[in-house]
Amino acid sequence: MAYARVAGFDELPVKGDPEGGKASVASLDKLQQQAVQVRQLQTPWQSYFQGKVITEEDFRFIQEYDKASNERRSQLITNLGAQAVKSLLHILSTISKEQVLQYIVTLIDDLLTSDPSCIRFFHQYADQAGSPVYSAFIKLMNRPDPFIVHMSSRLVSHLVLHSRYLMSPEDQRWYLHWIVQQLTTPNNAYMTCVASALQRMMRVDEYRLGYMRVHGIKPLLDVLSSRNTGFQMQYQLIFCLWLMAYSGKVATAIIELNAIPVLADALKGSGKEKVTRIILAALRNLIEKPTDKQVIHGSATAMISCKIPTVIAVLANKQWQDEDIRDDVESLQEKLEGYLLDLSSFDEYLSEVKSGRLQWSPVHKSDKFWRENVLRLNEKNHEVLKILTQLLQESQDTTVLQVAAHDFGEYVRHYPRGKKVLDNLGGKQLIMGLMNHADGQVRYEALVAVQKMMVQNWEFLGRQLKTD
Protein backbone atom coordinates (compact mmCIF):
# COMPACT_ATOMS: atom_id res chain seq x y z
CA MET A 1 0.00 0.00 0.00
CA ALA A 2 1.48 3.38 -0.94
CA TYR A 3 -0.34 5.61 1.52
CA ALA A 4 -3.89 6.64 2.36
CA ARG A 5 -4.67 9.60 0.17
CA VAL A 6 -6.93 12.35 1.39
CA ALA A 7 -10.05 12.71 -0.72
CA GLY A 8 -9.70 15.68 -3.03
CA PHE A 9 -6.13 16.34 -1.87
CA ASP A 10 -4.65 17.02 -5.28
CA GLU A 11 -7.43 19.48 -6.07
CA LEU A 12 -6.48 21.74 -3.12
CA PRO A 13 -3.24 23.49 -4.13
CA VAL A 14 -2.84 25.55 -0.96
CA LYS A 15 -4.71 23.51 1.60
CA GLY A 16 -3.08 20.43 0.21
CA ASP A 17 0.47 21.77 0.14
CA PRO A 18 2.34 20.21 3.06
CA GLU A 19 4.84 23.05 3.03
CA GLY A 20 2.19 25.71 3.50
CA GLY A 21 1.98 27.16 -0.02
CA LYS A 22 4.02 30.27 -0.74
CA ALA A 23 5.07 30.50 2.88
CA SER A 24 7.11 27.31 2.65
CA VAL A 25 10.46 29.13 2.42
CA ALA A 26 9.62 31.20 5.47
CA SER A 27 8.50 28.11 7.34
CA LEU A 28 11.95 26.57 6.91
CA ASP A 29 13.82 29.82 7.46
CA LYS A 30 16.16 28.61 10.21
CA LEU A 31 17.10 25.44 8.36
CA GLN A 32 17.54 27.22 5.02
CA GLN A 33 19.73 29.93 6.50
CA GLN A 34 22.07 27.28 7.81
CA ALA A 35 21.86 25.30 4.58
CA VAL A 36 23.19 28.31 2.64
CA GLN A 37 26.34 28.19 4.74
CA VAL A 38 26.61 24.40 4.58
CA ARG A 39 26.57 24.47 0.76
CA GLN A 40 29.75 26.57 0.83
CA LEU A 41 31.70 23.84 2.61
CA GLN A 42 34.64 22.29 0.75
CA THR A 43 35.03 18.58 1.45
CA PRO A 44 38.39 16.84 0.80
CA TRP A 45 36.98 13.78 -0.95
CA GLN A 46 40.44 12.86 -2.27
CA SER A 47 41.76 12.56 1.28
CA TYR A 48 38.87 10.36 2.35
CA PHE A 49 39.51 8.12 -0.66
CA GLN A 50 43.26 7.92 -0.08
CA GLY A 51 42.64 7.16 3.58
CA LYS A 52 40.33 4.32 2.47
CA VAL A 53 37.37 5.85 4.31
CA ILE A 54 35.29 5.72 1.12
CA THR A 55 35.52 3.35 -1.83
CA GLU A 56 36.75 4.28 -5.29
CA GLU A 57 33.22 3.92 -6.63
CA ASP A 58 31.85 6.30 -4.00
CA PHE A 59 34.74 8.71 -4.57
CA ARG A 60 34.27 8.91 -8.35
CA PHE A 61 30.55 9.49 -7.95
CA ILE A 62 30.69 12.15 -5.20
CA GLN A 63 33.56 14.02 -6.86
CA GLU A 64 31.61 14.42 -10.09
CA TYR A 65 28.28 15.01 -8.33
CA ASP A 66 29.74 17.65 -6.01
CA LYS A 67 30.98 19.80 -8.90
CA ALA A 68 27.89 19.40 -11.09
CA SER A 69 25.01 21.83 -11.63
CA ASN A 70 21.54 20.94 -10.30
CA GLU A 71 20.48 19.81 -13.77
CA ARG A 72 23.56 17.64 -14.17
CA ARG A 73 23.05 16.19 -10.71
CA SER A 74 19.55 15.04 -11.64
CA GLN A 75 20.95 13.45 -14.79
CA LEU A 76 23.64 11.63 -12.80
CA ILE A 77 21.08 10.26 -10.36
CA THR A 78 18.76 9.27 -13.19
CA ASN A 79 21.55 7.51 -15.08
CA LEU A 80 22.98 5.69 -12.07
CA GLY A 81 19.71 5.15 -10.21
CA ALA A 82 19.96 3.11 -7.02
CA GLN A 83 23.75 2.93 -7.37
CA ALA A 84 24.02 6.70 -6.82
CA VAL A 85 21.82 6.45 -3.73
CA LYS A 86 24.00 3.63 -2.45
CA SER A 87 27.08 5.86 -2.70
CA LEU A 88 25.40 8.79 -0.92
CA LEU A 89 24.16 6.60 1.92
CA HIS A 90 27.48 4.76 2.16
CA ILE A 91 29.29 8.05 2.65
CA LEU A 92 26.79 8.99 5.35
CA SER A 93 27.49 5.73 7.18
CA THR A 94 31.31 5.79 6.93
CA ILE A 95 32.22 9.42 7.65
CA SER A 96 31.45 10.74 11.13
CA LYS A 97 32.64 14.35 10.79
CA GLU A 98 29.70 16.71 11.44
CA GLN A 99 30.49 19.09 8.56
CA VAL A 100 30.53 16.27 6.01
CA LEU A 101 27.25 14.85 7.30
CA GLN A 102 25.69 18.32 7.16
CA TYR A 103 26.85 18.65 3.58
CA ILE A 104 25.55 15.26 2.40
CA VAL A 105 22.08 15.60 3.96
CA THR A 106 21.86 19.06 2.39
CA LEU A 107 22.87 17.64 -1.02
CA ILE A 108 20.16 14.98 -0.70
CA ASP A 109 17.53 17.51 0.36
CA ASP A 110 18.46 19.80 -2.52
CA LEU A 111 18.13 16.89 -4.92
CA LEU A 112 14.70 15.80 -3.68
CA THR A 113 13.49 19.41 -3.59
CA SER A 114 14.65 20.26 -7.11
CA ASP A 115 13.62 16.91 -8.63
CA PRO A 116 11.11 14.98 -6.46
CA SER A 117 11.01 12.17 -9.05
CA CYS A 118 14.45 11.08 -7.77
CA ILE A 119 12.78 9.79 -4.60
CA ARG A 120 12.03 6.60 -6.55
CA PHE A 121 15.73 5.73 -6.65
CA PHE A 122 15.91 5.82 -2.86
CA HIS A 123 13.05 3.33 -2.78
CA GLN A 124 14.72 1.16 -5.39
CA TYR A 125 17.88 1.02 -3.32
CA ALA A 126 15.89 0.28 -0.15
CA ASP A 127 14.19 -2.65 -1.91
CA GLN A 128 17.58 -4.01 -3.02
CA ALA A 129 19.12 -3.55 0.42
CA GLY A 130 16.12 -4.97 2.22
CA SER A 131 16.00 -2.11 4.70
CA PRO A 132 13.54 0.77 5.25
CA VAL A 133 14.13 3.72 2.95
CA TYR A 134 14.32 6.11 5.89
CA SER A 135 16.58 4.06 8.21
CA ALA A 136 19.84 5.96 7.53
CA PHE A 137 18.18 9.27 8.39
CA ILE A 138 16.46 7.95 11.52
CA LYS A 139 19.96 7.07 12.81
CA LEU A 140 21.23 10.56 12.03
CA MET A 141 18.41 12.03 14.13
CA ASN A 142 20.21 10.72 17.21
CA ARG A 143 23.26 12.90 16.60
CA PRO A 144 23.89 16.03 18.71
CA ASP A 145 24.03 18.52 15.81
CA PRO A 146 20.58 20.17 15.45
CA PHE A 147 21.03 20.94 11.75
CA ILE A 148 21.72 17.27 10.94
CA VAL A 149 18.84 16.18 13.17
CA HIS A 150 16.23 18.46 11.60
CA MET A 151 17.40 18.06 8.02
CA SER A 152 17.28 14.29 8.54
CA SER A 153 13.79 14.50 10.02
CA ARG A 154 12.70 16.46 6.95
CA LEU A 155 14.14 13.75 4.69
CA VAL A 156 12.42 11.00 6.72
CA SER A 157 9.02 12.65 6.26
CA HIS A 158 9.60 13.11 2.50
CA LEU A 159 10.71 9.51 1.96
CA VAL A 160 8.03 7.98 4.20
CA LEU A 161 5.26 9.94 2.50
CA HIS A 162 6.17 8.45 -0.88
CA SER A 163 6.96 4.96 0.36
CA ARG A 164 5.03 1.86 -0.69
CA TYR A 165 5.38 0.57 2.85
CA LEU A 166 4.41 1.90 6.25
CA MET A 167 7.10 2.56 8.83
CA SER A 168 7.61 -0.25 11.32
CA PRO A 169 5.54 0.27 14.50
CA GLU A 170 8.72 0.91 16.50
CA ASP A 171 10.14 3.48 14.07
CA GLN A 172 6.76 5.12 13.62
CA ARG A 173 6.31 5.48 17.37
CA TRP A 174 9.85 6.82 17.82
CA TYR A 175 9.56 9.38 15.02
CA LEU A 176 6.11 10.67 16.00
CA HIS A 177 7.17 10.85 19.64
CA TRP A 178 10.20 12.86 18.54
CA ILE A 179 7.85 15.34 16.84
CA VAL A 180 5.83 15.65 20.05
CA GLN A 181 9.01 16.32 22.01
CA GLN A 182 9.98 19.04 19.54
CA LEU A 183 6.57 20.69 19.86
CA THR A 184 6.99 20.84 23.63
CA THR A 185 10.55 22.21 23.52
CA PRO A 186 10.49 25.88 24.64
CA ASN A 187 11.74 28.43 22.10
CA ASN A 188 12.45 25.75 19.52
CA ALA A 189 14.09 27.57 16.61
CA TYR A 190 13.16 24.70 14.27
CA MET A 191 9.46 24.60 15.21
CA THR A 192 8.12 25.42 11.76
CA CYS A 193 10.35 22.75 10.23
CA VAL A 194 8.91 20.24 12.72
CA ALA A 195 5.39 21.33 11.80
CA SER A 196 6.17 20.82 8.10
CA ALA A 197 7.30 17.25 8.79
CA LEU A 198 4.10 16.62 10.73
CA GLN A 199 2.04 18.02 7.87
CA ARG A 200 3.54 15.45 5.53
CA MET A 201 3.11 12.57 7.97
CA MET A 202 -0.55 13.39 8.62
CA ARG A 203 -1.41 12.69 4.98
CA VAL A 204 -1.23 8.99 5.87
CA ASP A 205 -4.12 7.60 7.89
CA GLU A 206 -2.00 5.12 9.87
CA TYR A 207 0.29 7.93 11.02
CA ARG A 208 -2.71 10.01 12.11
CA LEU A 209 -3.68 7.17 14.41
CA GLY A 210 -0.06 6.76 15.48
CA TYR A 211 0.19 10.44 16.38
CA MET A 212 -2.92 10.13 18.51
CA ARG A 213 -1.43 7.08 20.26
CA VAL A 214 1.71 9.00 21.28
CA HIS A 215 -0.55 11.67 22.83
CA GLY A 216 0.55 14.33 20.37
CA ILE A 217 -2.74 16.22 19.96
CA LYS A 218 -2.71 18.12 23.27
CA PRO A 219 0.84 19.50 22.84
CA LEU A 220 -0.17 20.70 19.37
CA LEU A 221 -3.23 22.45 20.85
CA ASP A 222 -1.07 23.99 23.57
CA VAL A 223 1.17 25.57 20.93
CA LEU A 224 -1.89 26.83 19.05
CA SER A 225 -3.27 28.35 22.25
CA SER A 226 -0.08 30.31 22.91
CA ARG A 227 -0.25 34.03 22.28
CA ASN A 228 3.22 33.88 20.75
CA THR A 229 2.12 31.63 17.87
CA GLY A 230 2.42 33.48 14.57
CA PHE A 231 -0.03 33.06 11.72
CA GLN A 232 2.29 30.79 9.67
CA MET A 233 2.73 28.35 12.56
CA GLN A 234 -0.99 28.64 13.26
CA TYR A 235 -1.72 27.72 9.66
CA GLN A 236 0.63 24.73 9.69
CA LEU A 237 -0.69 23.25 12.93
CA ILE A 238 -4.34 23.72 11.99
CA PHE A 239 -3.46 22.14 8.65
CA CYS A 240 -2.27 19.13 10.68
CA LEU A 241 -5.55 19.05 12.64
CA TRP A 242 -7.50 19.21 9.38
CA LEU A 243 -5.65 16.19 8.05
CA MET A 244 -5.88 14.28 11.33
CA ALA A 245 -9.63 14.83 11.43
CA TYR A 246 -10.10 12.80 8.23
CA SER A 247 -9.84 9.84 10.59
CA GLY A 248 -13.06 9.45 12.57
CA LYS A 249 -11.18 8.09 15.61
CA VAL A 250 -8.68 10.92 15.61
CA ALA A 251 -11.41 13.51 15.02
CA THR A 252 -13.16 12.18 18.12
CA ALA A 253 -9.96 12.51 20.16
CA ILE A 254 -9.44 16.07 18.89
CA ILE A 255 -12.95 17.03 19.98
CA GLU A 256 -12.56 15.39 23.39
CA LEU A 257 -9.31 17.28 23.94
CA ASN A 258 -11.22 20.55 23.64
CA ALA A 259 -9.85 21.71 20.30
CA ILE A 260 -13.00 23.53 19.19
CA PRO A 261 -12.62 26.53 21.53
CA VAL A 262 -9.01 26.86 20.33
CA LEU A 263 -10.14 26.80 16.69
CA ALA A 264 -12.94 29.25 17.51
CA ASP A 265 -10.44 31.71 18.97
CA ALA A 266 -8.24 31.34 15.89
CA LEU A 267 -11.21 31.89 13.57
CA LYS A 268 -12.32 35.03 15.40
CA GLY A 269 -8.80 36.47 15.27
CA SER A 270 -7.88 35.35 11.77
CA GLY A 271 -6.69 38.09 9.48
CA LYS A 272 -5.37 35.81 6.73
CA GLU A 273 -7.59 34.15 4.15
CA LYS A 274 -5.56 30.95 4.06
CA VAL A 275 -5.80 30.62 7.86
CA THR A 276 -9.56 31.20 7.76
CA ARG A 277 -9.89 28.57 5.04
CA ILE A 278 -7.98 25.87 6.91
CA ILE A 279 -9.86 26.56 10.18
CA LEU A 280 -13.21 26.18 8.41
CA ALA A 281 -12.03 22.98 6.75
CA ALA A 282 -10.88 21.57 10.11
CA LEU A 283 -14.19 22.48 11.79
CA ARG A 284 -16.10 20.85 8.97
CA ASN A 285 -14.15 17.62 9.41
CA LEU A 286 -14.79 17.70 13.16
CA ILE A 287 -18.51 17.65 12.53
CA GLU A 288 -18.54 15.29 9.52
CA LYS A 289 -15.90 12.62 10.19
CA PRO A 290 -16.75 11.20 13.66
CA THR A 291 -19.03 8.16 13.43
CA ASP A 292 -20.57 8.34 16.91
CA LYS A 293 -23.74 10.49 16.96
CA GLN A 294 -23.07 11.65 20.51
CA VAL A 295 -19.61 12.85 19.52
CA ILE A 296 -21.03 14.73 16.54
CA HIS A 297 -23.68 16.28 18.78
CA GLY A 298 -20.98 17.31 21.27
CA SER A 299 -18.91 18.81 18.48
CA ALA A 300 -21.84 20.85 17.17
CA THR A 301 -22.77 21.95 20.69
CA ALA A 302 -19.20 23.10 21.38
CA MET A 303 -19.21 25.13 18.14
CA ILE A 304 -22.49 26.75 19.11
CA SER A 305 -21.24 27.45 22.64
CA CYS A 306 -18.16 29.15 21.15
CA LYS A 307 -20.39 31.38 18.96
CA ILE A 308 -19.04 29.91 15.75
CA PRO A 309 -22.46 30.24 13.98
CA THR A 310 -22.29 34.00 14.58
CA VAL A 311 -18.79 34.20 13.08
CA ILE A 312 -19.81 32.05 10.12
CA ALA A 313 -22.80 34.29 9.46
CA VAL A 314 -20.40 37.22 9.10
CA LEU A 315 -18.08 35.20 6.84
CA ALA A 316 -21.04 34.18 4.67
CA ASN A 317 -21.61 37.82 3.74
CA LYS A 318 -18.04 38.35 2.58
CA GLN A 319 -16.79 37.92 -0.95
CA TRP A 320 -14.30 35.06 -1.22
CA GLN A 321 -12.28 34.19 -4.28
CA ASP A 322 -11.73 30.67 -2.99
CA GLU A 323 -14.71 28.40 -3.54
CA ASP A 324 -13.53 26.11 -0.71
CA ILE A 325 -14.34 28.82 1.83
CA ARG A 326 -17.84 29.39 0.46
CA ASP A 327 -18.49 25.66 0.38
CA ASP A 328 -17.26 25.11 3.96
CA VAL A 329 -19.22 28.12 5.27
CA GLU A 330 -22.43 26.89 3.66
CA SER A 331 -21.93 23.34 4.92
CA LEU A 332 -21.20 24.44 8.50
CA GLN A 333 -24.14 26.85 8.48
CA GLU A 334 -26.53 24.14 7.35
CA LYS A 335 -25.33 21.59 9.92
CA LEU A 336 -25.17 23.96 12.88
CA GLU A 337 -28.61 25.44 12.16
CA GLY A 338 -30.08 21.97 12.52
CA TYR A 339 -28.46 21.52 15.95
CA LEU A 340 -29.44 25.02 17.10
CA LEU A 341 -33.11 24.07 16.85
CA ASP A 342 -32.67 20.99 19.06
CA LEU A 343 -30.12 22.33 21.52
CA SER A 344 -31.21 22.31 25.16
CA SER A 345 -29.98 24.72 27.81
CA PHE A 346 -28.16 21.83 29.53
CA ASP A 347 -26.35 20.96 26.28
CA GLU A 348 -25.02 24.50 26.16
CA TYR A 349 -24.09 24.39 29.85
CA LEU A 350 -22.31 21.05 29.48
CA SER A 351 -20.36 22.30 26.47
CA GLU A 352 -19.30 25.43 28.34
CA VAL A 353 -18.12 23.42 31.35
CA LYS A 354 -16.17 20.98 29.17
CA SER A 355 -14.50 23.89 27.37
CA GLY A 356 -13.12 25.11 30.69
CA ARG A 357 -14.08 28.65 29.70
CA LEU A 358 -16.84 29.44 32.16
CA GLN A 359 -18.54 32.81 31.83
CA TRP A 360 -21.63 34.42 33.29
CA SER A 361 -24.00 33.07 30.64
CA PRO A 362 -27.72 33.20 31.59
CA VAL A 363 -28.07 29.54 32.64
CA HIS A 364 -25.81 29.95 35.67
CA LYS A 365 -28.24 32.33 37.41
CA SER A 366 -31.47 30.77 36.17
CA ASP A 367 -33.51 29.13 38.94
CA LYS A 368 -35.52 27.34 36.27
CA PHE A 369 -32.36 25.81 34.81
CA TRP A 370 -31.14 24.52 38.17
CA ARG A 371 -34.54 23.14 39.17
CA GLU A 372 -34.87 21.22 35.91
CA ASN A 373 -31.27 20.09 35.46
CA VAL A 374 -29.58 19.72 38.85
CA LEU A 375 -29.85 15.92 38.79
CA ARG A 376 -28.04 15.84 35.46
CA LEU A 377 -24.88 16.97 37.22
CA ASN A 378 -24.83 13.50 38.77
CA GLU A 379 -24.76 11.76 35.39
CA LYS A 380 -21.70 9.80 34.20
CA ASN A 381 -20.35 9.46 37.73
CA HIS A 382 -20.59 13.22 38.41
CA GLU A 383 -18.68 14.16 35.25
CA VAL A 384 -19.66 17.85 35.37
CA LEU A 385 -18.85 18.19 39.06
CA LYS A 386 -15.44 16.61 38.54
CA ILE A 387 -14.64 19.08 35.75
CA LEU A 388 -15.73 22.00 37.95
CA THR A 389 -13.53 20.64 40.75
CA GLN A 390 -10.56 20.47 38.37
CA LEU A 391 -11.19 24.05 37.26
CA LEU A 392 -11.20 25.21 40.88
CA GLN A 393 -7.86 23.46 41.37
CA GLU A 394 -6.10 24.59 38.21
CA SER A 395 -7.66 27.71 36.68
CA GLN A 396 -6.01 31.11 37.13
CA ASP A 397 -8.97 32.88 35.50
CA THR A 398 -10.96 34.75 38.13
CA THR A 399 -14.21 34.57 36.14
CA VAL A 400 -13.89 30.79 35.84
CA LEU A 401 -13.33 30.53 39.60
CA GLN A 402 -16.32 32.77 40.35
CA VAL A 403 -18.71 30.82 38.12
CA ALA A 404 -17.48 27.40 39.28
CA ALA A 405 -17.95 28.38 42.95
CA HIS A 406 -21.40 29.77 42.15
CA ASP A 407 -22.43 26.56 40.35
CA PHE A 408 -21.35 24.42 43.30
CA GLY A 409 -23.52 26.59 45.52
CA GLU A 410 -26.52 26.18 43.21
CA TYR A 411 -25.97 22.44 43.07
CA VAL A 412 -26.16 22.00 46.85
CA ARG A 413 -29.08 24.44 47.06
CA HIS A 414 -31.19 22.39 44.65
CA TYR A 415 -29.97 18.89 45.49
CA PRO A 416 -30.37 17.78 49.14
CA ARG A 417 -27.50 15.28 48.99
CA GLY A 418 -25.23 17.68 47.15
CA LYS A 419 -23.17 18.64 50.21
CA LYS A 420 -22.06 15.04 50.72
CA VAL A 421 -21.21 14.62 47.03
CA LEU A 422 -19.06 17.77 46.99
CA ASP A 423 -17.40 16.72 50.22
CA ASN A 424 -16.40 13.39 48.64
CA LEU A 425 -15.06 15.15 45.53
CA GLY A 426 -13.07 17.66 47.55
CA GLY A 427 -15.12 20.56 46.21
CA LYS A 428 -16.10 21.97 49.59
CA GLN A 429 -12.49 22.32 50.71
CA LEU A 430 -11.53 24.03 47.45
CA ILE A 431 -14.32 26.58 47.77
CA MET A 432 -13.40 27.33 51.37
CA GLY A 433 -9.84 27.90 50.20
CA LEU A 434 -11.10 30.49 47.69
CA MET A 435 -12.46 32.59 50.58
CA ASN A 436 -8.86 33.84 50.93
CA HIS A 437 -8.38 34.52 47.20
CA ALA A 438 -6.78 37.82 46.14
CA ASP A 439 -9.77 38.71 43.93
CA GLY A 440 -12.70 40.19 45.85
CA GLN A 441 -15.40 38.79 43.56
CA VAL A 442 -13.93 35.28 43.83
CA ARG A 443 -13.99 35.63 47.63
CA TYR A 444 -17.61 36.76 47.48
CA GLU A 445 -18.79 33.84 45.31
CA ALA A 446 -16.88 31.39 47.50
CA LEU A 447 -18.46 32.84 50.65
CA VAL A 448 -21.97 32.64 49.20
CA ALA A 449 -21.38 29.06 48.03
CA VAL A 450 -20.16 28.02 51.51
CA GLN A 451 -23.23 29.65 53.07
CA LYS A 452 -25.46 27.67 50.71
CA MET A 453 -23.76 24.50 51.87
CA MET A 454 -24.35 25.35 55.52
CA VAL A 455 -27.78 26.98 55.49
CA GLN A 456 -30.97 25.01 54.94
CA ASN A 457 -33.31 27.95 54.28
CA TRP A 458 -31.24 29.64 51.60
CA GLU A 459 -34.07 31.78 50.28
CA PHE A 460 -34.47 33.41 53.72
CA LEU A 461 -30.72 34.07 53.94
CA GLY A 462 -30.74 35.43 50.42
CA ARG A 463 -33.39 38.00 51.32
CA GLN A 464 -31.37 39.01 54.39
CA LEU A 465 -28.21 39.47 52.31
CA LYS A 466 -30.08 41.75 49.92
CA THR A 467 -31.52 43.75 52.87
CA ASP A 468 -28.08 44.13 54.44
Side-chain angles (χ1 to χ4, degrees):
M1 183 183 75
Y3 54 89
R5 295 193 63 81
V6 174
F9 209 93
D10 293 331
E11 290 75 35
L12 303 175
V14 179
K15 263 196 328 197
D17 179 0
E19 298 288 3
K22 292 181 180 178
S24 60
V25 175
S27 74
L28 296 173
D29 194 35
K30 173 71 174 179
L31 208 62
Q32 296 290 18
Q33 283 179 5
Q34 290 179 286
V36 170
Q37 297 175 340
V38 170
R39 291 186 190 100
Q40 307 306 314
L41 296 174
Q42 299 294 317
T43 306
W45 300 120
Q46 183 80 37
S47 298
Y48 284 115
F49 170 56
Q50 290 174 345
K52 298 184 178 180
V53 177
I54 59 176
T55 65
E56 182 177 357
E57 181 179 54
D58 296 340
F59 168 66
R60 292 186 183 281
F61 165 75
I62 195 63
Q63 191 176 44
E64 182 177 3
Y65 187 85
D66 198 10
K67 297 175 182 177
S69 64
N70 285 338
E71 185 178 351
R72 175 59 183 153
R73 286 177 177 180
S74 292
Q75 290 175 352
L76 279 171
I77 296 291
T78 301
N79 293 337
L80 295 173
Q83 188 61 41
V85 174
K86 179 183 177 182
S87 289
L88 288 170
L89 297 184
H90 187 250
I91 293 169
L92 278 178
S93 67
T94 55
I95 298 178
S96 59
K97 190 175 181 180
E98 299 288 312
Q99 286 185 331
V100 177
L101 297 178
Q102 289 176 351
Y103 189 70
I104 294 295
V105 293
T106 302
L107 282 183
I108 295 173
D109 185 69
D110 288 346
L111 170 67
L112 300 186
T113 301
S114 63
D115 189 357
S117 68
C118 289
I119 287 178
R120 71 186 188 274
F121 299 120
F122 284 81
H123 291 287
Q124 287 176 13
Y125 173 71
D127 287 344
Q128 292 172 12
S131 60
V133 68
Y134 54 81
S135 58
F137 304 104
I138 285 277
K139 290 177 183 175
L140 290 175
M141 288 176 65
N142 288 301
R143 297 190 69 91
D145 181 79
F147 178 84
I148 294 173
V149 169
H150 286 278
M151 188 62 85
S152 297
S153 79
R154 174 172 158 80
L155 290 169
V156 169
S157 64
H158 273 301
L159 293 168
V160 166
L161 177 60
H162 297 94
S163 175
R164 290 179 293 138
Y165 308 103
L166 292 170
M167 297 178 83
S168 71
E170 296 78 14
D171 288 341
Q172 178 191 143
R173 188 162 47 248
W174 186 91
Y175 184 70
L176 294 174
H177 187 260
W178 177 86
I179 289 178
V180 176
Q181 287 180 315
Q182 295 302 309
L183 288 175
T184 55
T185 300
N187 304 316
N188 189 343
Y190 296 92
M191 185 72 89
T192 47
C193 177
V194 173
S196 293
L198 184 59
Q199 284 176 267
R200 284 185 284 274
M201 296 298 290
M202 292 303 97
R203 293 178 67 173
V204 184
D205 192 56
E206 180 59 33
Y207 303 145
R208 297 170 193 152
L209 294 167
Y211 189 72
M212 177 186 72
R213 293 186 193 110
V214 297
H215 308 291
I217 298 170
K218 188 179 184 306
L220 186 153
L221 293 174
D222 289 342
V223 177
L224 267 179
S225 300
S226 171
R227 294 181 180 180
N228 299 324
T229 303
F231 85 88
Q232 175 61 26
M233 173 58 67
Q234 189 181 56
Y235 171 83
Q236 288 182 268
L237 294 182
I238 297 172
F239 185 106
C240 292
L241 286 175
W242 167 63
L243 289 177
M244 290 179 205
Y246 272 95
S247 163
K249 287 183 180 179
V250 182
T252 298
I254 292 170
I255 294 163
E256 291 175 347
L257 286 167
N258 222 16
I260 288 173
V262 177
L263 291 172
D265 287 347
L267 184 63
K268 293 170 188 175
S270 174
K272 298 285 184 178
E273 184 170 313
K274 74 171 188 176
V275 177
T276 299
R277 170 177 43 209
I278 205 67
I279 296 169
L280 292 172
L283 289 170
R284 183 172 176 179
N285 273 0
L286 291 177
I287 206 170
E288 289 183 352
K289 300 306 178 184
T291 54
D292 187 296
K293 289 184 179 179
Q294 277 192 321
V295 173
I296 297 171
H297 184 271
S299 178
T301 304
M303 292 183 196
I304 293 167
S305 177
C306 293
K307 314 299 181 189
I308 286 176
T310 305
V311 180
I312 289 176
V314 174
L315 296 177
N317 292 321
K318 290 188 175 183
Q319 296 296 317
W320 303 100
Q321 293 183 347
D322 194 316
E323 291 185 5
D324 286 338
I325 294 182
R326 291 196 295 270
D327 186 44
D328 288 340
V329 164
E330 289 172 6
S331 177
L332 284 166
Q333 270 189 315
E334 181 182 346
K335 288 179 172 63
L336 292 177
E337 282 173 5
Y339 283 99
L340 271 168
L341 296 173
D342 299 329
L343 195 64
S344 70
S345 57
F346 185 77
D347 288 330
E348 287 192 75
Y349 174 76
L350 180 61
S351 178
E352 184 184 322
V353 170
K354 286 185 174 181
S355 77
R357 302 181 177 198
L358 299 180
Q359 52 189 319
W360 287 112
S361 52
V363 292
H364 297 282
K365 295 192 174 183
S366 166
D367 277 345
K368 181 175 183 292
F369 170 80
W370 288 105
R371 283 196 308 272
E372 293 177 353
N373 294 288
V374 68
L375 292 178
R376 299 201 64 181
L377 272 67
N378 296 330
E379 293 176 356
K380 297 184 179 179
N381 195 25
H382 305 103
E383 177 189 30
V384 171
L385 297 174
K386 287 178 179 177
I387 297 173
L388 290 173
T389 300
Q390 186 177 0
L391 291 174
L392 286 177
Q393 286 178 313
E394 300 176 0
S395 181
Q396 301 298 314
D397 189 305
T398 54
T399 301
V400 170
L401 295 175
Q402 292 167 29
V403 177
H406 168 84
D407 287 3
F408 270 169
E410 290 298 276
Y411 173 70
V412 298
R413 180 162 80 95
H414 289 87
Y415 181 57
R417 300 177 191 171
K419 287 181 261 188
K420 185 175 181 181
V421 173
L422 289 189
D423 225 4
N424 292 338
L425 293 173
K428 181 179 176 181
Q429 292 84 346
L430 289 170
I431 292 175
M432 293 182 74
L434 289 179
M435 292 171 67
N436 297 315
H437 196 276
D439 183 83
Q441 196 59 37
V442 173
R443 292 198 303 272
Y444 171 77
E445 292 297 342
L447 173 64
V448 173
V450 169
Q451 289 172 331
K452 289 177 184 178
M453 293 177 189
M454 295 180 173
V455 178
Q456 293 293 328
N457 192 347
W458 170 250
E459 281 71 18
F460 173 73
L461 177 62
R463 286 195 295 273
Q464 276 205 324
L465 283 172
K466 289 179 181 176
T467 302
D468 294 342

